[in-house]
Amino acid sequence: MNIIVCGVGGQGVLLFSDLIGNIALAAGLDVKKSEVHGMAQRGGSVTTHVRYAPKVYSPLVEEGSADLVVAFEKLEALRHVHFLAGNGWLVYDPHRIDPLPVLLGLVERPTDALLDERIMARAPRRLVVSAFEAAREIGDPRVQNVVMLGAVSRLLEFPRSVFRDIIRLQVKPGFVDLNLRAFDRGLAIGSSYDIGAGASYMGRVTPQCPGQTGF
C-alpha cells in the first residue's frame, strides 16, 4: 500500500501518518515512512510517504504509484495528485489555506473552479471530506487530521477497533475522547459515500497486539 499524506504546517500531517503506520504495524505488516518539511512552521507544505506490506524495501512512493493520496488542503491536493496510480483514490479537504507568497501578494492563487477542474481531471476516484469544518463543529479544529483518518478508514479495511486502539495509545490521555469523536465523525462522512465494489485495498486483517507497536 502506497500512501501520500500532504498538508501545511500545523495540520497534523505527521500525526496522521504515524497513526496509519502504527495501525499497519499492529496488523503485523512491515512499514516504511518518509517526511518532507517545507518551511512547515511558517505554513509551508508538509508531505509524508507511508508504505506498508508484508515486506517494504523503500520508504518513498514513486509518482504515479500511490494507492491513496490524502490532502488536508485543496491546493496541496492538486500539488500531489500526480502521485496517484490510475486506480488510486484521492481524499481531500476543500479547506483553504493560502501559502505565504499569496498572502504577501506576490502571486495569485488559482481560483477554486480551476483547482476543481484540474483535480477532477486527474483523480476520477476521490472523496471530498470537509474535515476542518467537522472538527470545528466537534469543538477543536486541531482534530481535522483524525476526522480525515476516520474517512480514510473506509478505504483501509483494518478493523475499526484497531484504529480506536491506536488513537488511545498515541494521543495524550486528556485528548483521547475528543479524538475518538473526531474519528467517528470522519467515519460517518466516509460511510456516506458510495465507493463501489472493490474500492477497498486490503482484506480484513487481524491485529497482533496493539500494545506492542513501539510507541
Side-chain angles (χ1 to χ4, degrees), residues 50-118:
V50 182
R51 304 186 69 216
Y52 62 79
K55 184 62 182 177
V56 178
Y57 295 96
S58 168
L60 297 180
V61 178
E62 294 184 4
E63 293 182 9
S65 68
D67 302 293
L68 176 63
V69 172
V70 182
F72 293 0
E73 198 271 340
K74 185 185 284 188
L75 192 56
E76 293 300 319
L78 180 59
R79 282 177 173 165
H80 294 87
V81 72
H82 64 284
F83 276 96
L84 269 183
N87 63 343
W89 279 89
L90 170 66
V91 181
Y92 74 98
D93 191 333
H95 181 55
R96 171 174 176 161
I97 300 176
D98 287 336
L100 188 59
V102 173
L103 295 174
L104 294 175
L106 301 176
V107 297
E108 187 174 345
R109 180 187 170 100
T111 65
D112 280 346
L114 180 59
L115 293 178
D116 289 339
E117 178 184 341
R118 292 183 177 178

Short mmCIF file of all heavy atoms in Angstrom, two decimals, residues 50-118:
data_model
loop_
_atom_site.label_atom_id
_atom_site.label_comp_id
_atom_site.label_asym_id
_atom_site.label_seq_id
_atom_site.Cartn_x
_atom_site.Cartn_y
_atom_site.Cartn_z
N VAL A 50 4.02 6.98 3.18
CA VAL A 50 3.81 5.82 4.05
C VAL A 50 3.59 4.61 3.16
O VAL A 50 2.73 4.65 2.26
CB VAL A 50 2.60 6.00 4.98
CG1 VAL A 50 2.46 4.79 5.90
CG2 VAL A 50 2.71 7.29 5.78
N ARG A 51 4.38 3.58 3.39
CA ARG A 51 4.23 2.35 2.61
C ARG A 51 4.14 1.17 3.58
O ARG A 51 4.91 1.09 4.54
CB ARG A 51 5.41 2.15 1.66
CG ARG A 51 5.65 3.33 0.70
CD ARG A 51 6.73 3.00 -0.31
NE ARG A 51 6.27 1.98 -1.23
CZ ARG A 51 7.04 1.01 -1.75
NH1 ARG A 51 8.31 0.92 -1.40
NH2 ARG A 51 6.53 0.12 -2.58
N TYR A 52 3.20 0.27 3.34
CA TYR A 52 3.14 -0.94 4.17
C TYR A 52 2.74 -2.13 3.33
O TYR A 52 2.03 -2.01 2.32
CB TYR A 52 2.23 -0.77 5.38
CG TYR A 52 0.78 -0.48 5.08
CD1 TYR A 52 -0.11 -1.48 4.70
CD2 TYR A 52 0.28 0.81 5.22
CE1 TYR A 52 -1.44 -1.21 4.46
CE2 TYR A 52 -1.05 1.09 4.98
CZ TYR A 52 -1.91 0.07 4.59
OH TYR A 52 -3.23 0.34 4.35
N ALA A 53 3.25 -3.27 3.73
CA ALA A 53 3.04 -4.54 3.02
C ALA A 53 3.70 -5.62 3.88
O ALA A 53 4.33 -5.30 4.90
CB ALA A 53 3.69 -4.49 1.63
N PRO A 54 3.59 -6.89 3.51
CA PRO A 54 4.33 -7.90 4.27
C PRO A 54 5.83 -7.58 4.35
O PRO A 54 6.48 -7.85 5.36
CB PRO A 54 4.06 -9.18 3.48
CG PRO A 54 2.69 -8.96 2.91
CD PRO A 54 2.67 -7.50 2.53
N LYS A 55 6.38 -7.00 3.27
CA LYS A 55 7.77 -6.55 3.31
C LYS A 55 7.91 -5.30 2.43
O LYS A 55 7.48 -5.31 1.28
CB LYS A 55 8.72 -7.65 2.80
CG LYS A 55 10.19 -7.27 2.91
CD LYS A 55 10.61 -7.02 4.36
CE LYS A 55 12.07 -6.59 4.45
NZ LYS A 55 12.44 -6.28 5.85
N VAL A 56 8.50 -4.25 2.99
CA VAL A 56 8.71 -3.00 2.26
C VAL A 56 10.20 -2.70 2.25
O VAL A 56 10.86 -2.75 3.28
CB VAL A 56 7.96 -1.83 2.93
CG1 VAL A 56 8.21 -0.52 2.18
CG2 VAL A 56 6.46 -2.11 2.99
N TYR A 57 10.74 -2.36 1.07
CA TYR A 57 12.18 -2.14 0.95
C TYR A 57 12.56 -0.66 0.84
O TYR A 57 13.73 -0.31 1.00
CB TYR A 57 12.72 -2.90 -0.27
CG TYR A 57 12.59 -4.40 -0.12
CD1 TYR A 57 11.50 -5.09 -0.65
CD2 TYR A 57 13.55 -5.11 0.59
CE1 TYR A 57 11.37 -6.46 -0.50
CE2 TYR A 57 13.43 -6.49 0.75
CZ TYR A 57 12.34 -7.15 0.21
OH TYR A 57 12.22 -8.50 0.37
N SER A 58 11.60 0.21 0.51
CA SER A 58 11.91 1.63 0.36
C SER A 58 10.78 2.47 0.93
O SER A 58 9.61 2.11 0.79
CB SER A 58 12.10 1.97 -1.13
OG SER A 58 12.14 3.38 -1.32
N PRO A 59 11.09 3.61 1.55
CA PRO A 59 10.02 4.43 2.13
C PRO A 59 9.35 5.37 1.12
O PRO A 59 8.33 5.97 1.45
CB PRO A 59 10.76 5.24 3.20
CG PRO A 59 12.14 5.40 2.64
CD PRO A 59 12.43 4.12 1.90
N LEU A 60 9.91 5.52 -0.05
CA LEU A 60 9.42 6.54 -0.98
C LEU A 60 8.41 5.98 -1.98
O LEU A 60 8.61 4.90 -2.54
CB LEU A 60 10.58 7.19 -1.73
CG LEU A 60 11.57 7.95 -0.84
CD1 LEU A 60 12.68 8.54 -1.69
CD2 LEU A 60 10.86 9.03 -0.04
N VAL A 61 7.37 6.75 -2.21
CA VAL A 61 6.35 6.40 -3.20
C VAL A 61 6.69 7.10 -4.51
O VAL A 61 6.89 8.32 -4.54
CB VAL A 61 4.95 6.86 -2.72
CG1 VAL A 61 3.89 6.55 -3.77
CG2 VAL A 61 4.61 6.21 -1.37
N GLU A 62 6.76 6.34 -5.59
CA GLU A 62 7.07 6.94 -6.89
C GLU A 62 5.84 7.65 -7.44
O GLU A 62 4.70 7.28 -7.16
CB GLU A 62 7.52 5.86 -7.87
CG GLU A 62 8.83 5.20 -7.49
CD GLU A 62 9.26 4.20 -8.54
OE1 GLU A 62 8.57 4.09 -9.57
OE2 GLU A 62 10.29 3.54 -8.33
N GLU A 63 6.09 8.67 -8.25
CA GLU A 63 4.99 9.36 -8.91
C GLU A 63 4.19 8.35 -9.75
O GLU A 63 4.75 7.49 -10.41
CB GLU A 63 5.52 10.47 -9.81
CG GLU A 63 6.17 11.60 -9.03
CD GLU A 63 6.65 12.72 -9.95
OE1 GLU A 63 6.33 12.68 -11.15
OE2 GLU A 63 7.33 13.64 -9.45
N GLY A 64 2.88 8.47 -9.69
CA GLY A 64 2.02 7.58 -10.46
C GLY A 64 1.80 6.22 -9.84
O GLY A 64 1.23 5.34 -10.49
N SER A 65 2.21 6.05 -8.57
CA SER A 65 2.08 4.72 -7.96
C SER A 65 1.34 4.73 -6.62
O SER A 65 1.27 3.70 -5.97
CB SER A 65 3.47 4.09 -7.78
OG SER A 65 4.21 4.80 -6.79
N ALA A 66 0.81 5.87 -6.21
CA ALA A 66 0.14 5.94 -4.91
C ALA A 66 -1.27 5.34 -5.00
O ALA A 66 -2.05 5.69 -5.88
CB ALA A 66 0.05 7.38 -4.43
N ASP A 67 -1.55 4.43 -4.08
CA ASP A 67 -2.91 3.89 -3.98
C ASP A 67 -3.85 4.91 -3.36
O ASP A 67 -5.06 4.88 -3.60
CB ASP A 67 -2.90 2.63 -3.11
CG ASP A 67 -1.97 1.58 -3.64
OD1 ASP A 67 -2.26 1.04 -4.73
OD2 ASP A 67 -0.95 1.29 -2.99
N LEU A 68 -3.28 5.81 -2.57
CA LEU A 68 -4.09 6.77 -1.83
C LEU A 68 -3.29 8.05 -1.61
O LEU A 68 -2.13 8.00 -1.20
CB LEU A 68 -4.47 6.15 -0.48
CG LEU A 68 -5.24 6.99 0.53
CD1 LEU A 68 -6.61 7.38 -0.03
CD2 LEU A 68 -5.40 6.21 1.83
N VAL A 69 -3.90 9.17 -1.94
CA VAL A 69 -3.34 10.49 -1.60
C VAL A 69 -4.34 11.16 -0.66
O VAL A 69 -5.53 11.30 -1.00
CB VAL A 69 -3.10 11.36 -2.84
CG1 VAL A 69 -2.71 12.79 -2.43
CG2 VAL A 69 -2.01 10.76 -3.72
N VAL A 70 -3.87 11.55 0.51
CA VAL A 70 -4.71 12.23 1.49
C VAL A 70 -4.20 13.66 1.62
O VAL A 70 -3.05 13.89 2.00
CB VAL A 70 -4.65 11.54 2.86
CG1 VAL A 70 -5.58 12.24 3.85
CG2 VAL A 70 -5.02 10.07 2.73
N ALA A 71 -5.05 14.63 1.30
CA ALA A 71 -4.64 16.04 1.33
C ALA A 71 -5.55 16.81 2.28
O ALA A 71 -6.77 16.72 2.19
CB ALA A 71 -4.72 16.64 -0.08
N PHE A 72 -4.93 17.60 3.14
CA PHE A 72 -5.69 18.36 4.14
C PHE A 72 -6.07 19.75 3.64
O PHE A 72 -6.68 20.52 4.38
CB PHE A 72 -4.87 18.50 5.42
CG PHE A 72 -4.64 17.21 6.16
CD1 PHE A 72 -5.15 16.01 5.69
CD2 PHE A 72 -3.91 17.19 7.34
CE1 PHE A 72 -4.94 14.82 6.36
CE2 PHE A 72 -3.71 16.00 8.03
CZ PHE A 72 -4.23 14.82 7.53
N GLU A 73 -5.72 20.06 2.40
CA GLU A 73 -5.98 21.39 1.84
C GLU A 73 -6.06 21.24 0.32
O GLU A 73 -5.33 20.43 -0.25
CB GLU A 73 -4.86 22.36 2.27
CG GLU A 73 -5.19 23.84 2.15
CD GLU A 73 -4.82 24.38 0.78
OE1 GLU A 73 -4.01 23.77 0.08
OE2 GLU A 73 -5.39 25.43 0.43
N LYS A 74 -6.93 22.01 -0.32
CA LYS A 74 -7.22 21.78 -1.74
C LYS A 74 -6.00 22.02 -2.64
O LYS A 74 -5.73 21.24 -3.55
CB LYS A 74 -8.38 22.66 -2.19
CG LYS A 74 -8.80 22.37 -3.63
CD LYS A 74 -9.86 23.32 -4.12
CE LYS A 74 -11.21 22.99 -3.55
NZ LYS A 74 -12.28 23.80 -4.18
N LEU A 75 -5.28 23.10 -2.40
CA LEU A 75 -4.11 23.37 -3.24
C LEU A 75 -3.06 22.28 -3.09
O LEU A 75 -2.41 21.88 -4.06
CB LEU A 75 -3.52 24.75 -2.88
CG LEU A 75 -2.47 25.31 -3.83
CD1 LEU A 75 -2.99 25.40 -5.25
CD2 LEU A 75 -2.00 26.68 -3.35
N GLU A 76 -2.91 21.77 -1.87
CA GLU A 76 -1.98 20.67 -1.65
C GLU A 76 -2.46 19.41 -2.37
O GLU A 76 -1.64 18.60 -2.83
CB GLU A 76 -1.82 20.40 -0.15
CG GLU A 76 -1.14 21.52 0.61
CD GLU A 76 0.26 21.79 0.11
OE1 GLU A 76 1.01 20.85 -0.18
OE2 GLU A 76 0.61 22.99 0.00
N ALA A 77 -3.77 19.24 -2.47
CA ALA A 77 -4.29 18.09 -3.22
C ALA A 77 -3.84 18.15 -4.66
O ALA A 77 -3.37 17.15 -5.23
CB ALA A 77 -5.82 18.07 -3.13
N LEU A 78 -3.94 19.32 -5.28
CA LEU A 78 -3.53 19.44 -6.68
C LEU A 78 -2.02 19.26 -6.82
O LEU A 78 -1.55 18.66 -7.78
CB LEU A 78 -3.95 20.81 -7.22
CG LEU A 78 -3.59 21.07 -8.69
CD1 LEU A 78 -4.21 20.02 -9.60
CD2 LEU A 78 -4.02 22.46 -9.11
N ARG A 79 -1.27 19.76 -5.86
CA ARG A 79 0.18 19.65 -5.93
C ARG A 79 0.65 18.20 -5.93
O ARG A 79 1.73 17.88 -6.43
CB ARG A 79 0.82 20.38 -4.75
CG ARG A 79 0.87 21.88 -4.90
CD ARG A 79 1.45 22.51 -3.67
NE ARG A 79 1.68 23.93 -3.82
CZ ARG A 79 1.91 24.77 -2.84
NH1 ARG A 79 1.93 24.32 -1.60
NH2 ARG A 79 2.12 26.04 -3.06
N HIS A 80 -0.12 17.33 -5.29
CA HIS A 80 0.34 15.95 -5.10
C HIS A 80 -0.48 14.91 -5.86
O HIS A 80 -0.20 13.73 -5.76
CB HIS A 80 0.34 15.62 -3.61
CG HIS A 80 1.34 16.42 -2.83
ND1 HIS A 80 1.04 17.67 -2.31
CD2 HIS A 80 2.63 16.18 -2.50
CE1 HIS A 80 2.10 18.15 -1.69
NE2 HIS A 80 3.08 17.28 -1.79
N VAL A 81 -1.46 15.34 -6.61
CA VAL A 81 -2.34 14.38 -7.27
C VAL A 81 -1.59 13.56 -8.33
O VAL A 81 -2.02 12.45 -8.68
CB VAL A 81 -3.57 15.11 -7.88
CG1 VAL A 81 -3.18 15.92 -9.09
CG2 VAL A 81 -4.69 14.13 -8.17
N HIS A 82 -0.47 14.09 -8.80
CA HIS A 82 0.29 13.33 -9.81
C HIS A 82 0.92 12.07 -9.23
O HIS A 82 1.39 11.22 -9.98
CB HIS A 82 1.38 14.22 -10.43
CG HIS A 82 2.43 14.67 -9.46
ND1 HIS A 82 2.20 15.67 -8.54
CD2 HIS A 82 3.70 14.25 -9.24
CE1 HIS A 82 3.29 15.86 -7.80
NE2 HIS A 82 4.21 15.01 -8.21
N PHE A 83 0.91 11.93 -7.91
CA PHE A 83 1.43 10.69 -7.32
C PHE A 83 0.45 9.53 -7.49
O PHE A 83 0.82 8.37 -7.35
CB PHE A 83 1.71 10.90 -5.82
CG PHE A 83 3.04 11.52 -5.53
CD1 PHE A 83 3.15 12.88 -5.34
CD2 PHE A 83 4.20 10.74 -5.47
CE1 PHE A 83 4.38 13.48 -5.06
CE2 PHE A 83 5.43 11.32 -5.21
CZ PHE A 83 5.52 12.69 -5.00
N LEU A 84 -0.81 9.84 -7.76
CA LEU A 84 -1.83 8.79 -7.80
C LEU A 84 -1.58 7.77 -8.91
O LEU A 84 -1.23 8.13 -10.04
CB LEU A 84 -3.21 9.41 -8.04
CG LEU A 84 -4.06 9.82 -6.84
CD1 LEU A 84 -5.40 10.32 -7.34
CD2 LEU A 84 -4.24 8.67 -5.86
N ALA A 85 -1.82 6.50 -8.57
CA ALA A 85 -1.90 5.47 -9.60
C ALA A 85 -3.22 5.63 -10.34
O ALA A 85 -4.13 6.34 -9.88
CB ALA A 85 -1.80 4.10 -8.94
N GLY A 86 -3.34 4.98 -11.46
CA GLY A 86 -4.53 5.15 -12.29
C GLY A 86 -5.82 4.81 -11.57
O GLY A 86 -6.86 5.42 -11.83
N ASN A 87 -5.76 3.82 -10.66
CA ASN A 87 -6.96 3.43 -9.93
C ASN A 87 -6.91 3.89 -8.47
O ASN A 87 -7.63 3.39 -7.63
CB ASN A 87 -7.15 1.91 -9.99
CG ASN A 87 -6.00 1.17 -9.31
OD1 ASN A 87 -4.94 1.76 -9.08
ND2 ASN A 87 -6.20 -0.09 -9.00
N GLY A 88 -6.03 4.84 -8.19
CA GLY A 88 -5.87 5.31 -6.82
C GLY A 88 -6.99 6.25 -6.40
O GLY A 88 -7.74 6.78 -7.22
N TRP A 89 -7.05 6.46 -5.08
CA TRP A 89 -8.07 7.34 -4.50
C TRP A 89 -7.43 8.61 -3.97
O TRP A 89 -6.38 8.57 -3.33
CB TRP A 89 -8.77 6.65 -3.33
CG TRP A 89 -9.85 5.69 -3.74
CD1 TRP A 89 -9.70 4.37 -4.03
CD2 TRP A 89 -11.24 6.00 -3.90
NE1 TRP A 89 -10.92 3.82 -4.36
CE2 TRP A 89 -11.88 4.80 -4.28
CE3 TRP A 89 -11.99 7.15 -3.74
CZ2 TRP A 89 -13.25 4.73 -4.52
CZ3 TRP A 89 -13.36 7.08 -3.98
CH2 TRP A 89 -13.97 5.88 -4.37
N LEU A 90 -8.08 9.72 -4.25
CA LEU A 90 -7.72 10.99 -3.63
C LEU A 90 -8.78 11.32 -2.58
O LEU A 90 -9.97 11.35 -2.88
CB LEU A 90 -7.66 12.10 -4.67
CG LEU A 90 -7.53 13.53 -4.12
CD1 LEU A 90 -6.18 13.73 -3.43
CD2 LEU A 90 -7.72 14.57 -5.23
N VAL A 91 -8.34 11.56 -1.35
CA VAL A 91 -9.24 12.01 -0.29
C VAL A 91 -8.73 13.38 0.13
O VAL A 91 -7.58 13.50 0.59
CB VAL A 91 -9.24 11.05 0.91
CG1 VAL A 91 -10.22 11.55 1.98
CG2 VAL A 91 -9.62 9.65 0.47
N TYR A 92 -9.54 14.42 -0.04
CA TYR A 92 -9.03 15.74 0.27
C TYR A 92 -10.08 16.62 0.93
O TYR A 92 -11.27 16.44 0.76
CB TYR A 92 -8.47 16.43 -0.97
CG TYR A 92 -9.48 16.94 -1.97
CD1 TYR A 92 -9.86 18.28 -1.97
CD2 TYR A 92 -10.02 16.11 -2.92
CE1 TYR A 92 -10.78 18.77 -2.89
CE2 TYR A 92 -10.93 16.58 -3.85
CZ TYR A 92 -11.30 17.91 -3.84
OH TYR A 92 -12.21 18.38 -4.75
N ASP A 93 -9.55 17.55 1.73
CA ASP A 93 -10.38 18.55 2.40
C ASP A 93 -10.38 19.81 1.54
O ASP A 93 -9.30 20.32 1.19
CB ASP A 93 -9.77 18.85 3.79
CG ASP A 93 -10.71 19.68 4.67
OD1 ASP A 93 -11.54 20.43 4.11
OD2 ASP A 93 -10.59 19.58 5.90
N PRO A 94 -11.53 20.35 1.17
CA PRO A 94 -11.55 21.56 0.36
C PRO A 94 -11.16 22.82 1.13
O PRO A 94 -11.19 23.92 0.59
CB PRO A 94 -13.01 21.62 -0.11
CG PRO A 94 -13.78 20.94 0.97
CD PRO A 94 -12.88 19.84 1.46
N HIS A 95 -10.80 22.62 2.39
CA HIS A 95 -10.39 23.75 3.23
C HIS A 95 -9.26 24.53 2.55
O HIS A 95 -8.39 23.95 1.92
CB HIS A 95 -9.92 23.21 4.58
CG HIS A 95 -9.49 24.27 5.54
ND1 HIS A 95 -10.30 25.31 5.92
CD2 HIS A 95 -8.32 24.44 6.22
CE1 HIS A 95 -9.67 26.08 6.77
NE2 HIS A 95 -8.47 25.58 6.97
N ARG A 96 -9.29 25.85 2.72
CA ARG A 96 -8.33 26.72 2.02
C ARG A 96 -7.36 27.36 3.01
O ARG A 96 -7.79 28.00 3.98
CB ARG A 96 -9.09 27.81 1.26
CG ARG A 96 -8.21 28.89 0.68
CD ARG A 96 -9.01 29.84 -0.17
NE ARG A 96 -8.20 30.95 -0.65
CZ ARG A 96 -8.52 31.71 -1.70
NH1 ARG A 96 -9.64 31.47 -2.36
NH2 ARG A 96 -7.74 32.69 -2.08
N ILE A 97 -6.08 27.19 2.75
CA ILE A 97 -5.03 27.91 3.48
C ILE A 97 -4.09 28.49 2.43
O ILE A 97 -3.39 27.75 1.74
CB ILE A 97 -4.25 26.99 4.44
CG1 ILE A 97 -5.20 26.37 5.48
CG2 ILE A 97 -3.13 27.76 5.14
CD1 ILE A 97 -4.51 25.37 6.41
N ASP A 98 -4.08 29.78 2.30
CA ASP A 98 -3.23 30.39 1.28
C ASP A 98 -1.76 30.32 1.67
O ASP A 98 -1.39 30.61 2.82
CB ASP A 98 -3.62 31.86 1.08
CG ASP A 98 -4.94 32.00 0.35
OD1 ASP A 98 -5.31 31.06 -0.39
OD2 ASP A 98 -5.60 33.04 0.51
N PRO A 99 -0.89 29.95 0.72
CA PRO A 99 0.55 29.94 1.01
C PRO A 99 1.08 31.35 1.17
O PRO A 99 0.44 32.33 0.75
CB PRO A 99 1.14 29.24 -0.23
CG PRO A 99 0.12 29.37 -1.29
CD PRO A 99 -1.21 29.46 -0.62
N LEU A 100 2.25 31.44 1.78
CA LEU A 100 2.83 32.74 2.12
C LEU A 100 2.95 33.68 0.91
O LEU A 100 2.60 34.87 1.02
CB LEU A 100 4.19 32.55 2.80
CG LEU A 100 4.83 33.81 3.38
CD1 LEU A 100 3.93 34.46 4.42
CD2 LEU A 100 6.20 33.46 4.00
N PRO A 101 3.43 33.22 -0.25
CA PRO A 101 3.52 34.14 -1.40
C PRO A 101 2.17 34.74 -1.79
O PRO A 101 2.11 35.88 -2.25
CB PRO A 101 4.09 33.26 -2.52
CG PRO A 101 4.84 32.19 -1.80
CD PRO A 101 4.03 31.91 -0.56
N VAL A 102 1.09 33.99 -1.60
CA VAL A 102 -0.24 34.52 -1.89
C VAL A 102 -0.62 35.57 -0.85
O VAL A 102 -1.13 36.64 -1.17
CB VAL A 102 -1.29 33.39 -1.93
CG1 VAL A 102 -2.70 33.96 -2.05
CG2 VAL A 102 -0.99 32.44 -3.08
N LEU A 103 -0.33 35.26 0.42
CA LEU A 103 -0.65 36.21 1.49
C LEU A 103 0.12 37.52 1.34
O LEU A 103 -0.38 38.59 1.69
CB LEU A 103 -0.33 35.57 2.86
CG LEU A 103 -1.18 34.36 3.24
CD1 LEU A 103 -0.67 33.74 4.54
CD2 LEU A 103 -2.65 34.74 3.38
N LEU A 104 1.33 37.42 0.79
CA LEU A 104 2.15 38.62 0.60
C LEU A 104 1.81 39.36 -0.68
O LEU A 104 2.38 40.42 -0.96
CB LEU A 104 3.64 38.23 0.59
CG LEU A 104 4.20 37.69 1.91
CD1 LEU A 104 5.64 37.23 1.73
CD2 LEU A 104 4.12 38.74 3.02
N GLY A 105 0.91 38.78 -1.47
CA GLY A 105 0.51 39.44 -2.71
C GLY A 105 1.49 39.27 -3.85
O GLY A 105 1.43 39.99 -4.85
N LEU A 106 2.42 38.33 -3.70
CA LEU A 106 3.43 38.12 -4.73
C LEU A 106 2.91 37.30 -5.89
O LEU A 106 3.38 37.45 -7.02
CB LEU A 106 4.66 37.43 -4.12
CG LEU A 106 5.35 38.19 -2.97
CD1 LEU A 106 6.49 37.38 -2.38
CD2 LEU A 106 5.87 39.54 -3.47
N VAL A 107 2.01 36.40 -5.63
CA VAL A 107 1.40 35.57 -6.68
C VAL A 107 -0.09 35.49 -6.39
O VAL A 107 -0.55 35.74 -5.27
CB VAL A 107 2.00 34.15 -6.74
CG1 VAL A 107 3.47 34.19 -7.08
CG2 VAL A 107 1.78 33.43 -5.42
N GLU A 108 -0.84 35.10 -7.40
CA GLU A 108 -2.28 34.97 -7.26
C GLU A 108 -2.65 33.50 -7.14
O GLU A 108 -2.15 32.67 -7.91
CB GLU A 108 -2.97 35.59 -8.48
CG GLU A 108 -4.49 35.65 -8.34
CD GLU A 108 -5.13 36.40 -9.50
OE1 GLU A 108 -4.39 37.10 -10.21
OE2 GLU A 108 -6.34 36.27 -9.68
N ARG A 109 -3.51 33.23 -6.18
CA ARG A 109 -3.94 31.84 -6.01
C ARG A 109 -4.89 31.46 -7.14
O ARG A 109 -5.77 32.27 -7.52
CB ARG A 109 -4.65 31.66 -4.67
CG ARG A 109 -5.15 30.24 -4.40
CD ARG A 109 -5.97 30.20 -3.12
NE ARG A 109 -6.65 28.93 -2.95
CZ ARG A 109 -6.22 27.94 -2.16
NH1 ARG A 109 -5.13 28.12 -1.46
NH2 ARG A 109 -6.87 26.80 -2.07
N PRO A 110 -4.76 30.25 -7.71
CA PRO A 110 -5.73 29.81 -8.72
C PRO A 110 -7.14 29.80 -8.14
O PRO A 110 -7.34 29.58 -6.94
CB PRO A 110 -5.26 28.39 -9.06
CG PRO A 110 -3.83 28.32 -8.62
CD PRO A 110 -3.71 29.25 -7.45
N THR A 111 -8.11 30.02 -8.97
CA THR A 111 -9.49 30.02 -8.50
C THR A 111 -9.90 28.61 -8.08
O THR A 111 -9.34 27.61 -8.54
CB THR A 111 -10.43 30.50 -9.59
OG1 THR A 111 -10.40 29.55 -10.68
CG2 THR A 111 -10.03 31.89 -10.10
N ASP A 112 -10.90 28.53 -7.20
CA ASP A 112 -11.40 27.22 -6.79
C ASP A 112 -11.92 26.44 -7.99
O ASP A 112 -11.78 25.21 -8.07
CB ASP A 112 -12.51 27.39 -5.75
CG ASP A 112 -11.93 27.64 -4.36
OD1 ASP A 112 -10.72 27.41 -4.17
OD2 ASP A 112 -12.68 28.06 -3.48
N ALA A 113 -12.55 27.13 -8.94
CA ALA A 113 -13.08 26.46 -10.13
C ALA A 113 -11.96 25.80 -10.93
O ALA A 113 -12.10 24.67 -11.41
CB ALA A 113 -13.85 27.46 -10.99
N LEU A 114 -10.84 26.50 -11.06
CA LEU A 114 -9.71 25.94 -11.80
C LEU A 114 -9.10 24.77 -11.04
O LEU A 114 -8.75 23.74 -11.63
CB LEU A 114 -8.65 27.02 -12.03
CG LEU A 114 -7.39 26.58 -12.80
CD1 LEU A 114 -7.77 26.05 -14.17
CD2 LEU A 114 -6.40 27.74 -12.91
N LEU A 115 -8.98 24.91 -9.72
CA LEU A 115 -8.45 23.80 -8.92
C LEU A 115 -9.35 22.57 -9.04
O LEU A 115 -8.86 21.45 -9.22
CB LEU A 115 -8.34 24.22 -7.45
CG LEU A 115 -7.30 25.30 -7.11
CD1 LEU A 115 -7.35 25.63 -5.63
CD2 LEU A 115 -5.91 24.86 -7.50
N ASP A 116 -10.66 22.80 -8.94
CA ASP A 116 -11.60 21.67 -9.05
C ASP A 116 -11.47 20.99 -10.41
O ASP A 116 -11.46 19.75 -10.50
CB ASP A 116 -13.03 22.17 -8.86
CG ASP A 116 -13.31 22.58 -7.42
OD1 ASP A 116 -12.58 22.12 -6.51
OD2 ASP A 116 -14.26 23.37 -7.20
N GLU A 117 -11.37 21.79 -11.46
CA GLU A 117 -11.27 21.23 -12.81
C GLU A 117 -10.04 20.34 -12.96
O GLU A 117 -10.10 19.23 -13.49
CB GLU A 117 -11.22 22.37 -13.82
CG GLU A 117 -11.06 21.92 -15.26
CD GLU A 117 -10.92 23.10 -16.21
OE1 GLU A 117 -11.29 24.23 -15.84
OE2 GLU A 117 -10.42 22.88 -17.34
N ARG A 118 -8.91 20.82 -12.45
CA ARG A 118 -7.66 20.06 -12.60
C ARG A 118 -7.66 18.82 -11.71
O ARG A 118 -7.14 17.77 -12.09
CB ARG A 118 -6.48 20.97 -12.28
CG ARG A 118 -6.31 22.07 -13.32
CD ARG A 118 -5.10 22.94 -13.06
NE ARG A 118 -4.94 23.92 -14.12
CZ ARG A 118 -3.99 24.84 -14.13
NH1 ARG A 118 -3.10 24.91 -13.15
NH2 ARG A 118 -3.90 25.70 -15.13
#
